[in-house]
Amino acid sequence: MKSSKSNIKSINSIIFKENKFSAEEEEGWCRVYVDLLEYKNSKTIWTVYFSHIYCDLLYEIGKALGMSHLFSFVPHDSVIDNIIFYGEKTKKIKNKELIIRQSAYLQYIVRTYENNNDEIFNPSSIHAIFAYDDIKIIEIVRNVIVEFLMKGSSSGISERARNFIEITEEALKVKKENDFLIQDKSSSKEKVEVVKNIQPIIDKDLLTRNEAKDFLNISLPTLNNWTKKGMIKSYGIGGRVYYKKNEILELLEELK
């Protein structure tokens, strides 16, 4: 079965929360294990929770994590127990509980990218990478994405990719330094403090008006003019005006 807009909308309603899929929106869908290599090599765009465009990335991450299969959902009328899809009760798959948790996490990442117009550099997309409770898994996923970015660029690594690498590297460092806080004995308050430590790192691309005009090498009147024309978006936070560094970098790319 090929993808359709209505099907994709239904897929989007299946959400990831607390390292697992929700069971609320599964009507009409059945649980399967997807052979990532077979799916990657297939020429059919099957209706699954993740879109085919991300299959190469998911395959590379799965390989790094030792996952040959990804737990997902397909419509009830799809073909099950073929070389691509295996039913939920298959005995071929081992460590199912771990695979389900990691699959939910990985598909949450790619779904967040898709919701951000395939924008991997968006802060919310970066936050998705850190939405798991195992720092080792987060680091592996982050490193694969970085390698994927570098491989996908024929003209050298972009400034925005460098920014992504720096931000995630710093966030990883803080996460590791505070890792003891998310052990079983830690309190929920301590866990919130860990998240708060990472939040400003990922969101640090917010620039003031003066910082934005210096970054663009323009005057404040020109910045105001560009903002009014819709060339760049401003954000009012706490009574002050900010600009997003990643959006300024996009504008600079367009102006080249």
Side-chain angles (χ1 to χ4, degrees):
M1 172 177 284
K2 293 190 176 183
S3 297
S4 69
K5 289 184 178 180
S6 59
N7 283 332
I8 294 299
K9 185 177 180 182
S10 299
I11 295 169
N12 282 337
S13 65
I14 302 171
I15 61 170
F16 167 83
K17 187 177 183 182
E18 296 177 352
N19 294 315
K20 61 185 179 182
F21 284 112
S22 72
E24 301 172 335
E25 303 290 347
E26 295 176 21
E27 186 177 352
W29 297 81
C30 58
R31 302 159 180 254
V32 295
Y33 292 91
V34 185
D35 187 309
L36 285 171
L37 180 59
E38 292 291 347
Y39 185 74
K40 174 176 174 284
N41 294 333
S42 72
K43 295 181 180 179
T44 304
I45 304 176
W46 295 90
T47 302
V48 289
Y49 176 71
F50 60 94
S51 53
H52 202 283
I53 190 172
Y54 298 110
C55 197
D56 284 347
L57 176 58
L58 286 172
Y59 171 74
E60 294 298 330
I61 294 175
K63 187 167 65 173
L65 293 175
M67 293 172 59
S68 59
H69 293 76
L70 195 75
F71 179 83
S72 193
F73 294 88
V74 295
H76 281 306
D77 55 357
S78 292
V79 178
I80 307 300
D81 290 325
N82 53 27
I83 62 172
I84 297 178
F85 302 124
Y86 292 86
E88 186 181 13
K89 295 182 180 179
T90 180
K91 294 181 180 180
K92 181 177 180 179
I93 313 298
K94 308 298 180 184
N95 301 319
K96 289 183 178 179
E97 184 176 343
L98 178 62
I99 287 177
I100 289 172
R101 292 182 74 248
Q102 291 182 351
S103 296
Y105 164 56
L106 299 183
Q107 291 173 86
Y108 172 66
I109 291 174
V110 297
R111 185 59 59 199
T112 304
Y113 294 168
E114 189 163 281
N115 289 341
N116 284 306
N117 297 316
D118 300 325
E119 178 52 79
I120 195 171
F121 306 114
N122 189 293
S124 62
S125 297
I126 298 176
H127 278 297
I129 298 172
F130 289 85
Y132 199 65
D133 56 8
D134 188 330
I135 187 62
K136 292 179 181 178
I137 299 298
I138 292 171
E139 185 169 20
I140 289 171
V141 170
R142 178 263 178 190
N143 291 343
V144 172
I145 292 173
V146 168
E147 188 176 344
F148 204 78
L149 281 172
M150 297 178 76
K151 280 182 180 179
S153 177
S154 58
S155 57
I157 190 165
S158 68
E159 184 64 31
R160 300 177 69 214
R162 290 184 196 279
N163 191 46
F164 172 88
I165 292 170
E166 290 173 5
I167 288 172
T168 53
E169 185 175 15
E170 189 176 350
L172 265 176
K173 183 180 178 181
V174 171
K175 189 90 169 175
K176 286 179 179 179
E177 289 173 351
N178 292 280
D179 197 32
F180 70 93
L181 292 175
I182 57 173
Q183 300 303 317
D184 292 339
K185 295 180 181 179
S186 67
S187 69
S188 57
K189 181 181 178 182
E190 287 171 327
K191 291 181 182 181
V192 170
E193 287 173 353
V194 174
V195 174
K196 285 183 178 178
N197 281 331
I198 294 174
Q199 182 93 18
I201 295 170
I202 296 175
D203 295 337
K204 70 178 182 180
D205 67 336
L206 291 175
L207 303 178
T208 64
R209 292 173 69 244
N210 282 326
E211 288 171 336
K213 64 100 172 170
D214 289 342
F215 198 86
L216 286 163
N217 195 27
I218 58 175
S219 65
L220 278 176
T222 300
L223 178 64
N224 293 335
N225 188 35
W226 286 7
T227 305
K228 289 177 182 177
K229 288 182 176 179
M231 292 174 61
I232 188 167
K233 186 177 180 180
S234 63
Y235 298 84
I237 303 174
R240 299 189 66 184
V241 176
Y242 293 91
Y243 293 84
K244 288 187 177 181
K245 187 176 180 180
N246 67 311
E247 293 180 355
I248 290 177
L249 289 170
E250 284 181 16
L251 178 61
L252 288 173
E253 289 289 327
E254 293 174 5
L255 294 175
K256 282 184 178 179

